[in-house]
Each structure stands twice: as structure tokens, then as C-alpha cells.
Amino acid sequence: MIGLIITIALTANLPLFTNGALDKLLQKDLSSQETDIPLGSLLLVHRIGLSAPTSLEQYETADSFIRQQVPALIDLPLLQFVRYGSTRVTETLPSAQIDLPEDQREYQSAGLAFMTNVEEHIEIVKGSGFSDRTEDFAIETLISERFYYDHEVEVGDRLIYGLNDSQGLVPVEVEVVGVWRPADDDPSFWFEDPKSLAFYFLIPEERFLAEVVPVVSDAVRTYVWYMVFETQSIRMDKVDGIIKGIENTRAKVGGILSIIHMTAPVYQILEAYSHRATVLKTFLLILSTPILVILLAYIAVSFNMVVESEKDEIATLKSRGASSSQVIFAYLLEALLTGGIGASVGLVLAIAVTQLMGQIYRFLTFAARPPMDISLTPQAFNYAILGAALGIASTLWPATKWARYTIITQRQHFSRDEISGPVERVIRVFGELFLLVITFYGYWMLRNQRPQFLQVSGEMFVDPLMLLVPILFAAALALLGLRIIPLFANLIAKVSDRALGLPATLAARHVCRQPSQYRPVMFLLMIAIALGHFSASFAETLDSHYIDASYYRTGADLALEVQWERIEQTAEQSISSDLISDPTLSIETKDHILDIDALIQEQMERLREKEKEEQTLSRWRYPPFEPVYTIPQVEGAARVLRTEAYLEGAAGQVEGTLLGINRLELPQATKWRKDFASVSMGALMNTLAQDSTALLVSRNFVEDTGLQLGDELFLVAENADKPIYFTIQEVVDYFPTLYPEEGFFFVGNLDYIYAAIGTRPYDIWLDLSEGTPSSDVVERLRQRGFLISNAKDTRLQIASWRIQPQSTALFGMLSIGFIVATVTASLAFLLHSFRSLQKRVPHFGILRALGLSVRQVTVMVVFEEFLLGGLGAVGGSAIGALTSNLFIPLLQVGSVVQGTTPPFLVTPAWDQMFRVYVCFGVIFLIVVSVLMWQLARLRIHEAIKLGGLE
């Protein structure tokens, strides 16, 4: 029952968590979108072609469908519904001029239009609105204020629309009853700018349809239906229905009117979230697969214990005429009843599991977050039914197995329990070998083939095969371990015969000779521990990698781009300022610092040889760097110059990125990993200290150019007028903010580079004390004169990533899986121990009758449980560690270019596994205590009597 309830809870959790996690983001996106018309609007525009006019019947059919069925299809509260129709603009003539000669008539261009409830959104500035009179032939109309001022038309005038039209329209006479202007700019009504109606005569809708369309149907050019729905009630469980409703509306209306243009601003957003929800549910399903495998195995093992305890009743029923199908059907009814109860409890538990997952921001680490808004949806019920079906199917396997035996065949089976037929042994061996072959083929595909990524988010890609192959691999190794356990137990028996005494020998012999009694529970124990270890290591590795990748991308806790003020001055003016204020003078210059006049003369001579005497130079004014260290929250700070550079004289001009650093500052600010280079960071900084011309180069640069350590080269920095001399002193694989995938990179001494090409703006990398807001540091630096144009906070990026639904799903499901694996493995071991004790009571009685004391029997049982538990824990841990080391390095998380930089480092979750071992230790103590208590109460005559009944 426990396994079934958890299975149902985990399967129902998939849509519940997806909807709950994405609901907040959906509402946030919906409220922040800016569109020309309301986000929840549905605008249907039918523009009528010249060759195929739309009949009134077609319009009424489409209008009836839109009014009556579309709101139900969209299934959102309808806030506004507007209909609009218009004719083409053609010549109109005042009725008073009908008798005038053609050259004296004053034609105006206008069209006829109607708009639902337009009087509620306009202001009558002259005349009145529509009246109820219909006896007059002329149709009442409202003209716009602009038309009124542009033409000599007064209230009460009658105008003829379509007179002398080139297409032979029947004239329609209208009477001006008022002049209007827009009373508001409500976008939920005005789907277009009201100014677009300036040259249309507004007439009542019913008269347009009854009197205009029948006589000038060829002139009708546009019909519009404008519906505005409330978006605040949109939830993820409604998204697919709304999308389907919009698509059905387009298809149905398009089928009636043939040409329809639909605008639904919310459609693209909902479609993106629908895809995102599908991917997230798929991702959760992949993550939950190991858990479901463990749960289904636990259900099968535990139910097998139940059915095995009822084997005598089954055999009796079989002997009295019951068929195997009847026995199976009886257990199926029992499973259905249990599944119904489990489904109701599982759905409640699913809500709790979903809320628990929403509080996880790292593996087995919880945060105080607001609870998610969760409601049981039909989709959740469907998933719960699926989980119940899987659980019920797992219970039928042991029922099918035991339903075959009668009393006679059951006795034969137990008497030949360990004597398998050759066919059975061949099938089992080939099955295990086939499983191994599949896993090795999957490993080869992951290692050598291009992965088929499932994009979980903008910065997370996971290959589904990556999470499925390890399950098969762990299962194959667990099956192989079951074959090794008897051999290992036999070896222990031989050793214990001399070293550990009779009880230990009997225990080891029993494990060696009766492997079928513990094979299911040992398989479950090893696979649960292995997959738990893999899940924990998987989560720890992903979390560590994202942290490493974030720091690698930024360089430090906080990276600042600082603007400098450019100063234009002549060459003569710049000489003395360079000598006095430039802190990056070369060593040769500093030797003559006391002879200012001689130094000025020397620099002037160099300038005359190079350029004209009065050329203009660009210099910089910038604040001193030392005040950065005075900020209390700053624990380390470094200046970093980043510029493009190319290798002078190389064939094809080799380009790359040059990074200028200060060897004393950088180690205090950046995060460094030992696999970035073959030597430590301290050794690299010492190399830069020993030679100012030393250059650290990327490994791909050395491999592609053939240059070696000690070679000399000249790099030309961007916007520099002369090359910089360097010597290659060390090769590095990675360096913070520099990606080998993007090209070559070089790292040199900042002061030496400045001395060669002049001072230019640098970035500042800061290592901050824990809990320090980056905004405080930025504000303090601005107070000290720094003009900061951009700030990148790595800690904020990591925190933002951890609250994303995809990250929460990842760590939440892996944490839940780890807990489930620990609980199920512990329960399975506990149930097996009690069931084994119950079955072997007669055997213990025989041993007592043969002379073994209670203490010896107790030691034997305890040693056997310790041997099985220890082998299962060690075997499962070894399988989990091997699976992690093989498969986790193949993971791909990140963008396409920078996904594997820096490379993955498998982080074994031994600290989490320690909790598993503690849990197993507690279970083992409980088992041993109960066993000792029951064995102490054992009476020989009762045991022998039970043995007779057996």
C-alpha cells in the first residue's frame, strides 16, 4: 500500500508541480506584456475581396458562431464584445445639390459603418444621437468632428452615398443627426485609432444590416469582431484549452468566411508556456523514472512476500478446482480496491509532495518560499490513474507466479528451489548479458554520438538518454552482483569456519545455498542505493557545475565595467603628465625618476622621431584603485584588462583575446579550479612575477601554431600602434572569462601591457563577504568617483537560477527520489527480515534441538542480516559510484558554445550517502532488536510443532 500510494503521488505530482511552478511566471508575463490592444483580446477581421462579396447569410452564420460558441471555446470571462462593419469609401453628395449641374456639385468621400455600442464611447458635440424612429427613409448618421470641420455639412443635412459610383451602386440616403468625437481611448473598445473613422458615417447596426447590406452588398468591405477576455483567470491547466479554442475559432470562422485575419496577442505567450509545460513534464518524467523503477520493484517484492505467505491457500484453491485465472482475478480485485484507496490518499500526498518540491532550492536543501497555488485538475487525476495502473500491474506479477502451483507442484518447487533447469539458466544468463550489451551501447552513443538534447530552459539542456541508460546500467550491475554474492558468502563461510565460529559459518552457508530467498530484496536494495547515490551525485554535480560556470563566466563575485574620462592633449602636454601621474612606467624609466629634465628631453626626442611634434594624443582620467580596498565588504579586488589581440607575423594572422592581470590582486578576487591548468594558480602567478614579459597561452593556441614554452612572440593589441613583446612561459587549459571554444587566449602582466601600449580602461573583479548586497558596494564605489556602466553579480545569477521552475524541478525531484530510495530500501530490508524470521522459525527450533544455544542462534541471525545488509549497501554504493563516474561527465548543461566550460567534475555525494547509511543502521538495529526478542521467546517444542505443520 505504501509503495502504491507513493507511486500515485509521484505521477500525479508531475502536472501539479508543472502547473503550480509555471502559474506565477505566466501571470507575471501576462501582467508585464505591452501590446497595442489588450492581451486578452481576440480580433477577427474579414476583408471582403472585389470578386467574391460576402453574403448577409454568411455574415449572420459567422456572427452567430462567434457570439454563441467562441466564449465557450475560449473558456474565459468575456469583458467586451464589439462588432464593426463598413463599406468602401466613395463619393457622397448633399441631397440639396442633386439637381445642380455636374460642375457645380461638391462631392465628398466617405463610407458607411456601424460599431456596436459606439454611443457609450463617444461624445456628441453637436446635435443628438440615434433616435428610435424608423419611418423616415433616410438613415440617421453621426459624422466625426473632423469631417464636420473639413466639409460644409450641418446637422440635419441629408447626404447621398454611392451616387454616380463607377460600379453602379444603388444610392443610399443618410441624414446627419449629430457630430461626435471620442469620449475615451479605451483599448478594450477601440481596436483601431478612432481617427480612422473620421471619414465614415456611423449608422445604427440594425439599419446597416437591414437597409445598407441588401442594396449595396458589393460595397461592403470589412467585418470585424472584437472580443476582450479577462487574462487574470488564466491558469496553466487552462492554457491548452485556450490555445485549442483560438485555433478552432480561426478554423471555423475561416471555413465560413474563407478569408479571415485573426489577432490574438495572448496566443503566442500561451503557446510558449504550453511548450514549456510539456518539456517540464517530460523532464520531470525522466527524472522520476529511477524513482518509479525503485517503487515498482518495491511493490513487486513486497507483494511477492504477501502472496508467498498465502501460497498454501492458493494451492488449496487450485487443488479444489479453482483455475489460475480465477486466482489472478481475485488478486486483481484486491489490487483494484487497494488502488482506489491508494489513489485518494496518493492525490492528497501529491499536493504535499508538490509543495515540498517547491521549497527545495538545492539538493535536500529547503527554503522558506510562499506555497504554490495548487488545484487538482483532470490531468492530475489521469496521471494518478496511470500511477495506480502501474502499481497494480506490479502486483499481478507475483500473483501470476504463485497462481500456477497446486499442492503437489508447490512441494516440488520448494524441494528443487535452487535447481533451475538448463533452459531457465540460459534465458537468465542471456537476459543479463543482453542488458549489459544495451547499457554499453547506450554509453557508447552518449560518449561518441551527438546528444539529442531536451531543452529544459534557456540555459539548461539534458539528454533524456543520459537519465535512462544509467538505470539500465545499474540494474545490469545489480543482477551481476547477485551472482557474485553467493561466491562471496561461500568465501566468508570458509574463513569464518576457523576465525568466526559456528554461527557465522551457518549464516554464510545459508546465504550461499539459498540465494533465491534474498535475491529480490537484495536487487531492490542495491538498485535503490545505486540510483540514490547517482541521483545525489547528479544533483551535486549539476549544482557545483552551474556555480563554477557562473563564476567562470563572470570571473568573481562581482564584475564591474568602469568608464574612464577621455582627455585630448598635445604630445608635449602629455609628457610631463605621464611621468608624474602614470603609475605604469617601465623599470628603465623609474631608474631616472630624479632627473626630470633629462627624462622630459628623452621623451621629446622619441616623439619627434615617431610623429609630428604637435600631434594630438588620447589620455584618460580615472580614479585611483586603492580606495576599493577601503570598502569593508570587499575581501579581494583585482584590475582586469580585456582586449582583442593578434599575433604579428603569423601566417593568416592568428587572433585571440588578451587578458591583463595583476598577479597579486587576481588570486584574491577570482575563483580557481585545479583542473584549469597543469600547475596551481600560485605557480602561474609566480611565473608572471619572475618575468614581466611572461605570457600564459591557451592549449589550443600551442597545438594549432606549434609554438613551445620559451618561444618569443609579438602581440598587437586592439587600437595599439606597436606590438608587445612576450615569451611563452606556461600553457593553461582554462582561465576565468576565457573560453577555448571561442578562440585563442593569452594572459599577461597588466603593468607590463600598460607600459607598452598605454593605460586604458580596465574591469574590476571583487570578492565580497558573504551576504553583502552588490548594490551597496556599487554605491560606495560611485561615491569614490568610479563611473560604473555595468555590474554582474554572480551570486544573484546563481540565486535566480535556483528559483527557476526547471531548477526547482531538477533538485526537487532528485531530492524526493533520494528520500524515496532510502525509505523503500529500508522498508524492503525490514519486511524481508521479519518475513525471513517468520519462515525460518522451525529451522531455528531444529538448530536449538541440535544443541545450539539461544545466543548462538541469535548471533547467526544477526550475522546473516549484517552480511546481507552490508553486501547490499557496499554493492549498491559501488554501483552508484561507478555509474556516476561513467555517466555524469557526459552530461551537457549550458549554452551550445559554453556548455562544457569549465568541464564537469563529478561531485560524489558521500555526505548524503552517510544519511542513507545512518538510516540503514537504525533499521538494522530495529531488526536486530526484534529478532533478538523473538528468538529469546522461542520454545523448542513450539518450533518443532510448527515445523511439522510446515
Side-chain angles (χ1 to χ4, degrees):
M1 176 67 79
I2 295 178
L4 183 61
I5 291 174
I6 298 177
T7 301
I8 294 172
L10 286 179
T11 53
N13 165 70
L14 302 183
L16 290 179
F17 178 83
T18 300
N19 294 341
L22 294 181
D23 267 338
K24 290 183 179 179
L25 295 180
L26 176 61
Q27 287 299 317
K28 181 179 179 181
D29 283 352
L30 291 177
S31 60
S32 62
Q33 292 292 326
E34 295 183 1
T35 55
D36 295 334
I37 56 178
L39 194 63
S41 58
L42 182 64
L43 180 63
L44 298 166
V45 179
H46 174 52
R47 302 192 186 280
I48 305 171
L50 297 177
S51 59
T54 299
S55 66
L56 183 60
E57 291 76 15
Q58 286 178 294
Y59 167 79
E60 291 175 344
T61 302
D63 181 65
S64 175
F65 171 77
I66 293 172
R67 284 187 295 105
Q68 297 177 11
Q69 298 187 38
V70 170
L73 289 175
I74 304 300
D75 194 23
L76 289 174
L78 182 62
L79 303 178
Q80 184 71 270
F81 181 47
V82 178
R83 285 189 301 269
Y84 169 84
S86 63
T87 65
R88 60 183 171 87
V89 175
T90 188
E91 291 182 342
T92 62
L93 180 70
S95 299
Q97 300 180 13
I98 191 68
D99 296 329
L100 295 178
E102 185 69 25
D103 57 348
Q104 297 181 15
R105 294 180 177 180
E106 297 178 359
Y107 287 100
Q108 299 132 4
S109 296
L112 303 178
F114 77 87
M115 198 169 185
T116 307
N117 301 325
V118 69
E119 291 181 284
E120 298 177 4
H121 297 271
I122 61 175
E123 176 186 353
I124 304 299
V125 296
K126 192 172 183 180
S128 62
F130 298 130
S131 65
D132 296 332
R133 62 185 177 88
T134 58
E135 66 276 2
D136 196 347
F137 176 77
I139 302 174
E140 293 182 343
T141 185
L142 300 175
I143 62 174
S144 67
E145 190 175 26
R146 177 180 175 182
F147 191 91
Y148 173 77
Y149 285 114
D150 288 353
H151 303 84
E152 295 180 0
V153 179
E154 295 293 338
V155 174
D157 289 352
R158 294 195 174 192
L159 305 172
I160 301 176
Y161 169 82
L163 186 66
N164 295 336
D165 184 80
S166 60
Q167 298 183 15
L169 291 179
V170 176
V172 177
E173 187 176 22
V174 296
E175 179 182 352
V176 178
V177 296
V179 180
W180 69 273
R181 68 165 66 130
D184 56 54
D185 57 354
D186 183 6
S188 65
F189 178 81
W190 300 106
F191 54 88
E192 286 187 345
D193 193 333
K195 295 178 181 178
S196 63
L197 298 176
F199 295 95
Y200 283 91
F201 299 154
L202 294 180
I203 64 178
E205 179 180 1
E206 60 275 5
R207 301 198 69 175
F208 183 93
L209 298 175
E211 302 178 31
V212 175
V213 175
V215 297
V216 293
S217 59
D218 292 344
V220 178
R221 287 291 176 263
T222 305
Y223 287 118
V224 176
W225 292 267
Y226 183 52
M227 312 176 78
V228 180
F229 297 92
E230 183 187 29
T231 58
Q232 294 180 352
S233 59
I234 297 179
R235 294 293 182 267
M236 284 303 304
D237 57 304
K238 291 185 176 181
V239 166
D240 289 338
I242 296 173
I243 292 175
K244 187 177 180 180
I246 294 174
E247 293 174 346
N248 289 342
T249 300
R250 179 194 288 122
K252 184 67 175 179
V253 177
I256 299 173
L257 300 177
S258 70
I259 300 176
I260 191 73
H261 176 73
M262 186 178 72
T263 302
V266 78
Y267 179 79
Q268 291 184 343
I269 299 175
L270 297 184
E271 195 174 35
Y273 268 88
S274 177
H275 174 72
R276 190 173 180 181
T278 301
V279 172
L280 184 56
K281 278 187 287 191
T282 305
F283 183 55
L284 283 170
L285 181 60
I286 295 172
L287 289 175
S288 64
T289 300
I291 316 171
L292 293 176
V293 169
I294 295 173
L295 285 171
L296 296 179
Y298 170 77
I299 293 173
V301 170
S302 59
F303 198 76
N304 181 68
M305 296 180 189
V306 174
V307 178
E308 186 181 1
S309 66
E310 299 173 351
K311 61 183 182 299
D312 293 335
E313 289 81 353
I314 295 174
T316 302
L317 291 174
K318 290 279 291 183
S319 301
R320 293 181 179 179
S323 63
S324 299
S325 58
Q326 288 177 321
V327 174
I328 295 173
F329 184 72
Y331 279 105
L332 176 61
L333 291 178
E334 180 182 347
L336 289 174
L337 179 60
T338 306
I341 299 174
S344 58
V345 179
L347 284 171
V348 177
L349 182 60
I351 297 176
V353 170
T354 303
Q355 295 289 5
L356 181 65
M357 285 182 58
Q359 305 301 315
I360 295 176
Y361 77 99
R362 289 187 64 187
F363 185 71
L364 292 180
T365 305
F366 299 88
R369 296 175 180 171
M372 291 189 291
D373 185 11
I374 300 174
S375 60
L376 292 176
T377 62
Q379 195 176 42
F381 284 100
N382 294 335
Y383 273 74
I385 294 173
L386 176 61
L390 291 174
I392 292 173
S394 299
T395 63
L396 293 181
W397 170 74
T400 304
K401 171 186 173 183
W402 290 103
R404 297 178 301 170
Y405 295 109
T406 63
I407 294 177
I408 296 175
T409 55
Q410 184 190 119
R411 296 299 179 183
Q412 291 175 346
H413 169 74
F414 280 104
S415 62
R416 302 172 182 176
D417 189 26
E418 298 304 322
I419 306 177
S420 301
V423 177
E424 183 180 352
R425 289 198 299 269
V426 170
I427 293 176
R428 183 178 296 176
V429 170
F430 273 96
E432 294 172 3
L433 291 177
F434 180 71
L435 188 58
L436 279 174
V437 170
I438 290 178
T439 57
F440 283 121
Y441 177 70
Y443 176 77
W444 177 84
M445 287 187 61
L446 290 172
R447 188 175 182 87
N448 299 289
Q449 303 273 335
R450 183 176 181 178
Q452 300 298 316
F453 289 126
L454 169 68
Q455 184 172 358
V456 181
S457 69
E459 294 186 350
M460 183 180 292
F461 298 77
V462 176
D463 183 6
L465 194 62
M466 176 62 236
L467 298 175
L468 298 178
V469 174
I471 302 175
L472 298 178
F473 181 75
L477 291 185
L479 292 174
L480 181 62
L482 293 178
R483 292 190 171 275
I484 298 176
I485 287 177
L487 302 177
F488 191 75
N490 187 39
L491 178 62
I492 293 178
K494 293 179 179 180
V495 174
S496 62
D497 192 18
R498 298 181 180 179
L500 302 178
L502 180 60
T505 303
L506 291 175
R509 293 291 183 191
H510 181 265
V511 172
C512 177
R513 294 174 179 175
Q514 302 289 328
S516 63
Q517 294 188 8
Y518 60 79
R519 183 180 287 120
V521 72
M522 287 298 291
F523 175 79
L524 177 60
L525 186 62
M526 286 193 291
I527 195 73
I529 294 177
L531 294 181
H533 188 282
F534 175 76
S535 299
S537 299
F538 183 22
E540 292 287 348
T541 301
L542 289 183
D543 189 59
S544 300
H545 174 73
Y546 190 85
I547 293 174
D548 293 343
S550 299
Y551 274 103
Y552 191 93
R553 182 169 53 250
T554 306
D557 285 343
L558 184 62
L560 304 175
E561 294 180 12
V562 182
Q563 290 183 342
W564 289 7
E565 182 181 358
R566 185 186 293 272
I567 304 173
E568 302 292 341
Q569 53 184 181
T570 63
E572 290 183 348
Q573 293 171 338
S574 66
I575 297 301
S576 59
S577 64
D578 284 346
L579 298 175
I580 297 173
S581 63
D582 193 344
T584 61
L585 292 173
S586 63
I587 298 175
E588 290 79 11
T589 302
K590 290 183 179 180
D591 291 339
H592 303 284
I593 194 64
L594 296 178
D595 192 355
I596 300 297
D597 295 335
L599 186 56
I600 293 177
Q601 183 63 29
E602 179 183 354
Q603 294 290 340
M604 287 295 296
E605 292 176 358
R606 292 181 182 178
L607 288 173
R608 292 189 187 98
E609 294 175 358
K610 182 178 178 181
E611 297 288 350
K612 294 180 180 180
E613 184 173 297
E614 295 295 327
Q615 70 175 348
T616 301
L617 300 176
S618 295
R619 314 304 292 172
W620 302 93
R621 177 183 292 131
Y622 53 91
F625 185 69
E626 288 73 16
V628 176
Y629 292 101
T630 63
I631 300 177
Q633 297 91 341
V634 174
E635 297 184 353
R639 296 166 295 163
V640 179
L641 171 68
R642 187 186 186 94
T643 182
E644 299 301 315
Y646 65 90
L647 180 60
E648 188 179 60
Q653 186 174 327
V654 178
E655 298 179 349
T657 302
L658 175 62
L659 209 67
I661 64 170
N662 183 290
R663 66 176 184 85
L664 297 178
E665 298 171 353
L666 189 70
Q668 302 176 12
T670 193
K671 307 294 182 183
W672 184 264
R673 251 174 42 180
K674 61 181 181 181
D675 62 323
F676 286 177
S678 57
V679 297
S680 65
M681 187 178 192
L684 295 176
M685 297 301 102
N686 289 336
T687 300
L688 295 177
Q690 293 170 5
D691 185 0
S692 61
T693 66
L695 187 69
L696 313 179
V697 299
S698 60
R699 189 169 300 278
N700 57 351
F701 173 77
V702 173
E703 293 173 350
D704 291 358
T705 61
L707 297 176
Q708 303 294 328
L709 296 180
D711 289 349
E712 301 175 346
L713 55 83
F714 288 89
L715 289 179
V716 178
E718 185 179 16
N719 298 327
D721 54 3
K722 62 180 179 179
I724 312 173
Y725 168 77
F726 287 108
T727 57
I728 301 177
Q729 295 294 343
E730 195 60 71
V731 178
V732 295
D733 297 296
Y734 305 95
F735 204 89
T737 71
L738 300 174
Y739 291 88
E741 299 90 346
E742 297 178 347
F744 306 133
F745 61 80
F746 318 95
V747 181
N749 281 295
L750 177 65
D751 291 344
Y752 174 74
I753 296 173
Y754 275 169
I757 64 174
T759 307
R760 57 179 62 187
Y762 52 73
D763 295 337
I764 299 178
W765 293 2
L766 298 177
D767 180 49
L768 306 179
S769 57
E770 186 175 355
T772 301
S774 58
S775 57
D776 294 350
V777 177
V778 171
E779 183 61 30
R780 288 176 180 267
L781 287 175
R782 284 173 175 162
Q783 293 174 359
R784 286 163 171 76
F786 288 88
L787 300 177
I788 299 173
S789 59
N790 189 24
K792 298 178 181 178
D793 190 339
T794 306
R795 302 167 306 167
L796 187 60
Q797 296 174 12
I798 296 172
S800 176
W801 176 71
R802 283 176 174 163
I803 64 174
Q804 292 296 316
Q806 294 80 6
S807 302
T808 304
L810 173 67
F811 294 116
M813 188 57 73
L814 291 177
S815 299
I816 297 297
F818 183 81
I819 296 172
V820 169
T822 304
V823 172
T824 53
S826 302
L827 287 178
F829 185 72
L830 185 65
L831 292 175
H832 170 266
S833 300
F834 292 157
R835 175 59 185 160
S836 176
L837 176 64
Q838 185 181 16
K839 288 173 54 179
R840 295 174 60 191
V841 167
H843 302 157
F844 297 151
I846 294 173
L847 291 176
R848 289 280 289 115
L850 291 176
L852 268 70
S853 64
V854 174
R855 176 178 174 276
Q856 288 177 312
V857 174
T858 302
V859 171
M860 180 193 72
V861 175
V862 171
F863 185 81
E864 180 180 332
E865 296 298 327
F866 178 78
L867 180 61
L868 291 175
L871 290 177
V874 172
S877 299
I879 294 172
L882 181 60
T883 305
S884 300
N885 290 327
L886 284 178
F887 289 94
I888 290 180
L890 304 180
L891 289 172
Q892 298 288 335
V893 176
S895 62
V896 176
V897 176
Q898 302 174 358
T900 57
T901 302
F904 284 95
L905 287 181
V906 179
T907 307
W910 292 115
D911 54 339
Q912 308 298 343
M913 292 305 298
F914 178 75
R915 303 181 185 183
V916 178
Y917 302 145
V918 171
C919 182
F920 281 159
V922 173
I923 294 296
F924 181 77
L925 291 177
I926 295 174
V927 170
V928 169
S929 301
V930 174
L931 291 178
M932 291 177 63
W933 176 70
Q934 290 193 352
L935 290 174
R937 299 175 60 221
L938 180 65
R939 299 294 181 263
I940 296 178
H941 65 280
E942 293 178 354
I944 298 299
K945 183 178 179 181
L946 289 173
L949 292 175
E950 183 76 6

